[in-house]
Amino acid sequence: MDYLSKIDLTKTPKHVAIIMDGNGRWAQKQGHLRLYGHNFGVESIRETLKAAKELKIQYLTLYAFSTENWNRPKEEVAGLMDLLVKSLANEIKELSDTGVRLLTIGDIEGLPQECQDELQESIELTKNNTEINLVLALNYSARWEIIDAVKKIATNVKSNDLSIDKISTELFDSYLSTKDIPDPELLIRTSGEHRISNFLLWQIAYTEFHFTEVLWPDFKRDDLYKAVLDFQSRERRFGMVSEQLTK
Ligand code: FPP
């Protein structure tokens, strides 16, 4: 089916966030090690990014490594870090040439030095691009991010650089690692799991969710189109009633 032609390109979500899940199961179903699935997951990232650009999505945020993922077997963690470094090294020139601006959210200082260096170089190279923002959530968890913001706010209050009555939703936003990034309008999770897994807890207050059974290495352009069509079928009321929206 031609899903793309059904999408209203004037009403696509500005920001789509994805919990890329199911790489391990995809690999194991075929008798391979989990890392095999992560490797194929990179191809799904490529495809999704291309489709997102077509749809004029401005921010694509991918949950690539959570603070909890450090608890996985050592070889898998090392393999994921290696995959990140190699994928960036291989792809960044093309990403940059096609207008992608790379951003990260998460505790980047907690990543191996080699990853930090590769990321920094890629961010610098792509910083003036405007076609789409690719936001990698790395060593990220929403609870870490919220606690980190609270600590910074408390420090500023204690030093008299911030007064308590200035604390607002907007101010809190500005202390998060997603500062300057609009909240996601659509959150997709693959692999049939219906959980948020500590992802963007503050930012998803009014986000629409789309869950799909598709495992991440099988997620391709049509799957993003389907998610966007699902999004466009929803009525987003932001706490109001339907009649108020048409006024
Ligand atoms: C979840 O599948 C996936 C991850 C924890 C890592 C996602 C990483 C990639 C797609 C590739 C590397 C990223 C970049 C940015 C180059 P899972 O392992 O939890 O799968 P399972 O639930 O089937 O075990």
Side-chain angles (χ1 to χ4, degrees):
M1 204 203 287
D2 181 13
Y3 296 106
L4 180 56
S5 68
K6 295 189 164 35
I7 294 175
D8 179 348
L9 291 173
T10 66
K11 289 189 183 133
T12 53
K14 229 192 226 108
H15 182 178
V16 176
I18 307 184
I19 302 177
M20 308 178 288
D21 197 10
N23 294 350
R25 274 165 286 164
W26 185 88
Q28 282 165 339
K29 270 205 319 203
Q30 301 175 55
H32 290 289
L33 295 175
R34 299 172 51 81
L35 269 172
Y36 184 80
H38 297 316
N39 274 294
F40 272 82
V42 175
E43 183 53 32
S44 298
I45 295 178
R46 258 186 230 114
E47 283 278 304
T48 305
L49 185 61
K50 283 185 198 154
K53 280 159 78 181
E54 258 174 348
L55 298 181
K56 307 278 179 229
I57 289 166
Q58 290 164 24
Y59 291 84
L60 178 68
T61 297
L62 303 175
Y63 205 3
F65 195 87
S66 75
T67 54
E68 286 86 13
N69 286 152
W70 295 110
N71 300 323
R72 292 191 172 201
K74 255 206 230 115
E75 311 72 54
E76 187 174 345
V77 171
L80 276 167
M81 294 300 150
D82 192 47
L83 186 58
L84 173 69
V85 170
K86 289 199 172 123
S87 304
L88 280 176
N90 288 338
E91 316 263 344
I92 200 63
K93 172 84 175 61
E94 193 191 330
L95 291 179
S96 184
D97 290 347
T98 54
V100 178
R101 179 166 77 133
L102 183 75
L103 300 171
T104 57
I105 55 171
D107 189 4
I108 300 306
E109 286 170 17
L111 293 172
Q113 194 57 49
E114 201 190 357
C115 291
Q116 292 188 46
D117 294 346
E118 196 67 50
L119 283 165
Q120 212 176 351
E121 216 177 288
S122 305
I123 290 169
E124 182 59 29
L125 180 71
T126 61
K127 69 177 183 201
N128 295 322
N129 292 342
T130 54
E131 193 72 25
I132 189 168
N133 296 280
L134 174 62
V135 186
L136 295 182
L138 290 162
N139 197 18
Y140 176 87
S141 81
R143 287 180 174 177
W144 162 79
E145 179 184 45
I146 290 168
I147 294 294
D148 187 60
V150 169
K151 282 184 188 164
K152 287 174 181 155
I153 290 172
T155 305
N156 287 350
V157 169
K158 197 171 167 194
S159 64
N160 287 324
D161 290 315
L162 178 67
S163 75
I164 288 179
D165 56 348
K166 287 274 177 320
I167 299 176
S168 63
T169 304
E170 292 72 25
L171 180 112
F172 198 77
D173 274 337
S174 75
Y175 280 81
L176 295 171
S177 68
T178 50
K179 168 183 182 318
D180 299 330
I181 299 176
D183 288 344
E185 287 170 87
L186 172 63
L187 175 87
I188 300 170
R189 183 172 190 147
T190 59
S191 92
E193 306 292 353
H194 295 193
R195 283 192 296 278
I196 297 305
S197 301
N198 215 347
F199 192 40
L200 301 174
L201 295 179
W202 170 269
Q203 297 87 343
I204 58 173
Y206 290 100
T207 300
E208 297 292 331
F209 294 168
H210 174 86
F211 298 104
T212 169
E213 295 293 318
V214 174
L215 302 176
W216 179 251
D218 288 328
F219 191 93
K220 297 291 172 264
R221 285 171 188 240
D222 271 358
D223 299 295
L224 184 69
Y225 301 152
K226 280 188 227 173
V228 169
L229 278 170
D230 185 22
F231 169 83
Q232 290 188 339
S233 74
R234 315 269 179 94
E235 181 182 68
R236 305 185 74 212
R237 292 194 293 275
F238 304 98
M240 295 180 281
V241 300
S242 289
E243 292 70 31
Q244 289 175 295
L245 298 172
T246 48
K247 278 180 192 157

